[in-house]
């Protein structure tokens, strides 16, 4: 007969502590993360702004990845700036980045209708979007990493069903968290994987709308090199392919920060028709030109913490501009 159930360190009782230490499932982790975010963002907004200042200062002080990548991006994109001007912009970008993260947590943990009422102070181009959607040809919203794109997502969902393309985190709990905070009424999240293109074609052919973040560097071989801030940048062809093959209307969309208390202005703007050119080099170059014009409105609100130029054109002899002896990747 096996050990008695009451003997310490033997038999089944030893499994009880082990059971308590078993990893939580992704959904449970996501729920806990949501509650933590909701608790944090209940702090008064001036305190959260102060937290953003502290976080950006720590990034600079510790020479964190966010600080290093931003500094290098600004050297590449704004070579005309002197050292002092670039240092000032560097600090402004990092503060804006930290602020955007806290804004997003607050938006994710509050009802979208309330967010739109409280924070979207000015709206440009609503009629343009509504008319494009009503045409039945399908609408592609190209949404650069500028201002707060999560507020833009909530506005898009308020106008009707929207399919949003996203790159899922490697961690299952992270993906479950995104499903929790971005999901809901009118929102379909489409994983940027093999079946995504077929799903988006169907959405557009049915006269629906899709939102795409077009300034993420794709994998080698999945895009074309075209200019962006004077640099050859590997850029996705997805927007160009969808527009050229479906005839959908391509619009730029962004929510620009216009005040210290989470005040934003919505902008919906027509794209250059060349975005849908049959030649992907022409179409993607036109797309990047529009994104660059948006980013130059207020460079501090663009996501310069991202390694946008790490992949270089084949045969160019160029190396990863972010790689150093201490930080080779």
């Amino acid at each position: 007969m096996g050990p008695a159930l009451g003997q310490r360190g033997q038999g089944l009782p030893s499994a009880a502590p082990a059971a308590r230490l078993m990893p939580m499932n992704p959904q449970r982790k996501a729920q806990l993360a949501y509650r933590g975010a909701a608790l944090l963002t209940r702090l008064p907004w001036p305190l959260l702004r102060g937290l953003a200042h502290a976080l950006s200062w720590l990034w600079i002080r510790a020479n964190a990845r966010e600080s290093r990548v931003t500094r290098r991006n600004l050297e590449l994109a704004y070579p005309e700036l002197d050292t002092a001007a670039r240092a000032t912009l560097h600090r402004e970008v990092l503060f804006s980045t930290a602020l955007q993260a806290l804004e997003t947590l607050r938006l994710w943990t509050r009802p979208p209708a309330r967010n739109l009422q409280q924070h979207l102070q000015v709206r440009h181009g609503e009629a343009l979007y509504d008319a494009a959607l009503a045409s039945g040809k399908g609408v592609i919203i190209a949404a650069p990493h500028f201002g707060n794109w999560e507020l833009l997502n909530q506005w898009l969902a308020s106008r009707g069903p929207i399919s949003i393309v996203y790159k899922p985190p490697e961690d299952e709990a992270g993906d479950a968290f995104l499903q929790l905070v971005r999901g809901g009424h009118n929102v379909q999240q489409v994983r940027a994987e093999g079946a995504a293109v077929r799903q988006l074609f169907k959405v557009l052919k049915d006269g629906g709308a899709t939102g795409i973040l077009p300034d993420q560097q794709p994998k080698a071989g999945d895009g074309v090199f075209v200019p962006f801030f004077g640099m050859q940048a590997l850029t996705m062809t997805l927007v160009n392919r969808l527009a050229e093959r479906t005839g959908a209307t391509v619009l730029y969309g962004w929510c620009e920060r216009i005040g210290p208390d989470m005040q934003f202005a919505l902008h919906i703007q027509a794209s250059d028709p060349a975005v849908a050119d049959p030649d992907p080099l022409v179409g993607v170059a036109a797309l990047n030109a529009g994104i660059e014009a948006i980013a130059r409105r207020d460079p501090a609100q663009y996501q310069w913490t991202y390694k946008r130029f790490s992949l270089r054109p084949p045969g160019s002899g160029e190396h990863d501009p972010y790689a150093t002896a201490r930080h080779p990747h």
Side-chain angles (χ1 to χ4, degrees):
M1 183 176 292
L5 295 183
Q7 289 180 307
R8 182 174 297 179
Q10 299 182 37
L12 294 179
S14 64
R20 289 196 294 269
L21 294 176
M22 288 178 63
M24 284 185 285
N25 65 56
Q27 288 71 30
R28 177 61 176 162
K29 286 183 179 179
Q31 287 285 349
L32 289 175
Y34 180 87
R35 292 175 187 175
L39 186 62
L40 171 66
T41 55
R42 288 174 66 180
L43 292 172
W45 184 244
L47 284 181
L48 292 176
R49 280 183 63 88
L51 181 59
H53 274 295
L55 181 56
S56 61
W57 179 85
L58 283 173
W59 282 336
I60 296 171
R61 183 75 174 177
N63 195 30
R65 181 186 183 281
E66 291 80 3
S67 181
R68 297 194 310 272
V69 172
T70 296
R71 185 180 296 109
R72 187 67 178 121
N73 273 331
L74 296 181
E75 291 169 352
L76 297 170
Y78 293 94
E80 72 278 8
L81 294 181
D82 60 32
T83 302
R86 197 177 295 125
T88 297
L89 181 54
H90 176 253
R91 290 192 297 271
E92 291 173 349
V93 167
L94 291 177
F95 171 63
S96 179
T97 299
L99 198 62
Q100 196 272 345
L102 292 170
E103 290 168 348
T104 295
L105 290 178
R106 192 172 248 219
L107 292 169
W108 278 345
T109 54
R110 283 163 173 73
R114 175 181 167 188
N115 291 334
L116 296 175
Q117 181 180 19
Q118 290 186 346
H119 303 305
L120 210 53
Q121 303 295 309
V122 183
R123 306 184 183 207
H124 302 286
E126 281 189 319
L128 181 64
Y129 178 81
D130 292 343
L133 195 59
S135 73
K137 297 189 301 181
V139 184
I140 302 168
I141 289 289
H145 287 84
F146 180 88
N148 196 298
W149 48 95
E150 297 298 341
L151 186 60
L152 174 66
N153 286 343
Q154 293 185 353
W155 178 82
L156 289 169
S158 76
R159 314 305 281 188
I162 180 77
S163 296
I164 298 172
V165 182
Y166 80 109
K167 181 179 180 181
E170 294 181 6
D171 179 49
E172 289 186 25
D175 192 30
F177 180 74
L178 289 181
Q179 295 297 327
L180 176 63
V181 297
R182 282 182 178 163
H185 184 61
N186 278 343
V187 177
Q188 178 190 21
Q189 298 190 66
V190 179
R191 298 166 69 96
E193 296 173 345
V197 175
R198 292 193 299 273
Q199 288 181 259
L200 298 180
F201 270 120
K202 185 178 187 311
V203 167
L204 295 173
K205 285 293 188 180
D206 291 342
T210 182
I212 300 173
L213 295 164
D215 49 355
Q216 298 183 86
Q217 182 175 255
K219 296 178 182 178
D222 286 351
V224 294
F225 281 92
V226 292
F228 186 59
F229 279 88
M231 291 278 293
Q232 288 293 309
L234 184 62
T235 307
M236 68 171 66
T237 58
L238 179 59
V239 173
N240 167 256
R241 283 187 292 153
L242 291 173
E244 194 269 327
R245 296 179 190 179
T246 68
T249 301
V250 181
L251 303 172
Y252 292 109
W254 70 95
C255 285
E256 186 170 3
R257 191 179 300 112
I258 58 173
D261 298 321
M262 288 189 65
Q263 296 135 328
F264 292 89
L266 169 75
H267 293 268
I268 301 295
Q269 179 178 291
S271 70
D272 184 336
V275 167
D277 195 277
D279 184 342
L281 287 173
V282 173
V284 177
L287 178 71
N288 266 9
I291 296 169
E292 181 175 333
I294 294 167
R296 287 186 180 277
R297 292 173 61 92
D298 183 355
Q301 292 197 49
Y302 190 66
Q303 186 181 310
W304 291 114
T305 57
Y306 178 69
K307 292 184 178 181
R308 184 65 181 87
F309 307 107
S310 62
L311 296 177
R312 309 312 306 140
S316 68
E318 299 179 32
H319 301 287
D320 180 352
Y322 307 98
T324 64
R326 186 173 181 182
H327 303 284
H329 301 293

